[in-house]
Amino acid sequence: MNYFSTKVEKLIGSNLKEVSHFKADINYTCIHLKNGEKHMLSYTLKRFEEMLEDSDNFVRIHRRYIVNFDFVSQSNKHEVQLRSGEFLPIARRKRNLSNSL
């Protein structure tokens, strides 16, 4: 685990493996945990993407979402379904990712 992953864990107060996805909200990011908790932080999604760039599990699938592969139950070229039942869209430019999910 690198420095930035550790920093993210300190920011959210939880293990990074507990994060199902990140959702952008202008200059804030809502972090969704597997237990249903949500944390709003004043960091952009781009900043989290940079912090997690060395992680194999987290991938940006849309301008509003970074998803943890461990929480994806199924996907197609238009969306991913999380184990929680929630559907997240895949951007047109990221549709080649659906093959690797």
Side-chain angles (χ1 to χ4, degrees):
M1 183 169 294
N2 67 23
Y3 166 76
F4 292 112
S5 297
T6 306
K7 185 173 180 180
V8 172
E9 287 182 353
K10 286 182 182 177
L11 286 171
I12 64 174
S14 185
N15 190 323
L16 203 52
K17 293 178 182 178
E18 304 292 310
V19 176
S20 67
H21 65 285
F22 296 81
K23 182 179 179 183
D25 187 9
I26 307 175
N27 288 328
Y28 293 88
T29 299
C30 186
I31 300 162
H32 296 255
L33 303 179
K34 76 176 184 181
N35 64 6
E37 286 183 37
K38 298 176 186 176
H39 299 278
M40 185 72 79
L41 295 173
S42 60
Y43 287 88
T44 62
L45 194 62
K46 175 128 179 95
R47 190 157 179 197
F48 280 109
E49 183 179 27
E50 291 166 355
M51 288 181 188
L52 297 167
E53 68 185 5
D54 292 336
S55 174
D56 294 333
N57 288 357
F58 290 92
V59 174
R60 188 152 188 179
I61 61 168
H62 188 272
R63 68 183 178 100
R64 292 192 68 194
Y65 298 102
I66 295 174
V67 70
N68 183 344
F69 279 161
D70 292 341
F71 290 89
V72 174
S73 63
Q74 60 182 344
S75 67
N76 59 46
K77 68 180 186 176
H78 300 288
E79 61 192 4
V80 298
Q81 182 179 15
L82 301 179
R83 282 193 254 150
S84 66
E86 187 174 358
F87 288 90
L88 304 178
I90 298 176
R92 279 192 307 263
R93 293 181 183 177
K94 304 283 186 171
R95 294 217 170 126
N96 61 338
L97 290 175
S98 66
N99 298 331
S100 61
L101 293 175

